Amino acid sequence: MAYNLLKGKRGIITGALDENSIAWKVAVRAKEEGATFTLTNAPVALRMGKIKELAEQCNTEVIPADATSVEDLENLYKRSMELLGGKIDFVLHSIGMSPNVRKGREYGDLNYDWFMKTLDISAMSFHKMLQVAEKLDALNEGASVVALSYIAAQRTFPDYSDMAQAKAMLESIARSYGERYGRLKKVRVNTISQSPTRTTAGTGISGFDVFYDYAEMMSPLGNATADDCADMCIVMFSDLTRKVTMQNIFHDGGFSSMGISPQVVEKLSK
């Protein structure tokens, strides 16, 4: 059901790869709620995914951009404003990648050049997106910027490796830039700490199925799906959350507040 929560709003959605992506689901829901927006991803991801299909479905355009490149981000904002006919009301940062995780490097044997790439791609890109937007005055007053995070920023999940540091940095940037942008233009900056989700990126992490099942047993409401996360993003983009900023919102079925669940006790008692 649509509620016209984003009617008349313009946005930029990053990171859609295929129909399993949270960003893909957000784009579909944003279209249903009346928004117009552009889509973007890194050139290499555009070759791998199906984002052009999503663009056709949402009647929009794809603007290639490497989120670590200030020049690319400047073009992304300028081109988006040109195509959409004005300044931007919402931005989704759904970007994350660790070369160390992808190439199976143990946490005690990280390649530090790759570690820096993890931080640049997965966290510093968020600061760059915010800073470029501020310098170009690309966001409307009261705009909403949301980045996707994970509870490994606060708790240890060994197979998540250096992505845990990237998510901690991401959430810190949201607080620091949220204060600045809120004071300057009432722009909201938040992160959503999502349940483990069966996306193409998520399932590529070693041991994903185990901690997905564990989170499902621990969460009173069960794991939040990609569709659930899309709904949450829409609410955060809308005017209904105009006083919410600098927050890390746990969207995880209650997992983050649990110590142990009856289901886990029962399983371990067998």
Side-chain angles (χ1 to χ4, degrees), residues 70-89:
V70 169
E71 183 179 355
D72 280 12
L73 292 175
E74 289 172 343
N75 178 66
L76 171 63
Y77 280 112
K78 289 176 182 177
R79 183 67 178 141
S80 294
M81 288 188 286
E82 180 182 311
L83 288 169
L84 300 174
K87 294 182 183 180
I88 305 303
D89 298 295

Side-chain angles (χ1 to χ4, degrees), residues 87 137-143 180-187:
K87 294 182 183 180
D137 192 23
L139 302 186
N140 273 320
E141 184 164 323
R180 177 180 177 82
Y181 232 154
R183 176 167 40 82
L184 293 174
K185 289 203 67 172
K186 306 300 182 188
V187 170

Side-chain angles (χ1 to χ4, degrees), residues 17 26 85 108 128 137-138 143 150 172 183 194 197 203 207 223 227 251:
L17 184 65
V26 172
K128 291 176 182 178
D137 192 23
Y150 183 55
S172 179
R183 176 167 40 82
Q194 168 70 2
T197 311
T203 54
N223 288 327
D227 286 304
H251 185 251

Side-chain angles (χ1 to χ4, degrees), residues 10 14 51 55 58 70 81 84 105 108 112 114 118 124 138 142 161-162 185 187 200 214 246 248-249 251 266:
R10 309 178 187 95
T14 73
I51 194 171
C58 295
V70 169
M81 288 188 286
L84 300 174
R105 292 293 289 259
Y112 288 118
W114 294 352
T118 299
M124 201 179 302
S161 191
D162 57 354
K185 289 203 67 172
V187 170
T200 301
Y214 172 72
M246 301 165 63
N248 179 54
I249 299 165
H251 185 251
E266 181 180 356

Side-chain angles (χ1 to χ4, degrees), residues 121-136:
I121 294 168
S122 308
M124 201 179 302
S125 63
F126 189 41
H127 192 284
K128 291 176 182 178
M129 289 194 75
L130 290 161
Q131 181 169 288
V132 169
E134 180 191 338
K135 289 187 174 183
L136 292 178

Side-chain angles (χ1 to χ4, degrees), residues 76-268:
L76 171 63
Y77 280 112
K78 289 176 182 177
R79 183 67 178 141
S80 294
M81 288 188 286
E82 180 182 311
L83 288 169
L84 300 174
K87 294 182 183 180
I88 305 303
D89 298 295
F90 65 88
V91 178
L92 176 69
H93 180 284
S94 180
I95 302 166
M97 195 279 287
S98 165
N100 280 300
V101 171
R102 282 196 175 185
K103 298 182 182 183
R105 292 293 289 259
E106 292 283 341
Y107 190 69
D109 186 34
L110 293 183
N111 178 304
Y112 288 118
D113 289 334
W114 294 352
F115 193 174
M116 293 299 294
K117 287 182 180 179
T118 299
L119 296 177
D120 194 16
I121 294 168
S122 308
M124 201 179 302
S125 63
F126 189 41
H127 192 284
K128 291 176 182 178
M129 289 194 75
L130 290 161
Q131 181 169 288
V132 169
E134 180 191 338
K135 289 187 174 183
L136 292 178
D137 192 23
L139 302 186
N140 273 320
E141 184 164 323
S144 176
V145 183
V146 171
L148 300 183
S149 191
Y150 183 55
I151 197 172
Q154 287 85 26
R155 301 184 189 178
T156 301
F157 293 80
D159 290 327
Y160 208 65
S161 191
D162 57 354
M163 277 298 297
Q165 280 74 66
K167 292 302 187 185
M169 182 176 174
L170 183 84
E171 293 176 13
S172 179
I173 289 169
R175 290 187 292 271
S176 295
Y177 227 115
E179 183 278 330
R180 177 180 177 82
Y181 232 154
R183 176 167 40 82
L184 293 174
K185 289 203 67 172
K186 306 300 182 188
V187 170
R188 296 164 280 152
V189 184
N190 295 285
T191 54
I192 295 175
S193 188
Q194 168 70 2
S195 296
T197 311
R198 293 193 185 282
T199 62
T200 301
T203 54
I205 298 172
S206 175
F208 174 85
D209 288 340
V210 174
F211 67 76
Y212 178 91
D213 292 342
Y214 172 72
E216 181 74 17
M217 286 190 292
M218 284 287 290
S219 307
L221 299 181
N223 288 327
T225 66
D227 286 304
D228 294 330
C229 189
D231 285 341
M232 187 68 202
C233 289
I234 297 302
V235 172
M236 295 305 297
F237 294 152
S238 79
D239 293 337
L240 297 177
T241 53
R242 58 189 172 273
K243 294 297 183 181
V244 181
T245 194
M246 301 165 63
Q247 301 301 306
N248 179 54
I249 299 165
F250 287 105
H251 185 251
D252 58 10
F255 177 85
S256 52
S257 292
M258 291 295 292
I260 195 166
S261 70
Q263 292 90 332
V264 172
V265 170
E266 181 180 356
K267 188 173 182 65
L268 293 176

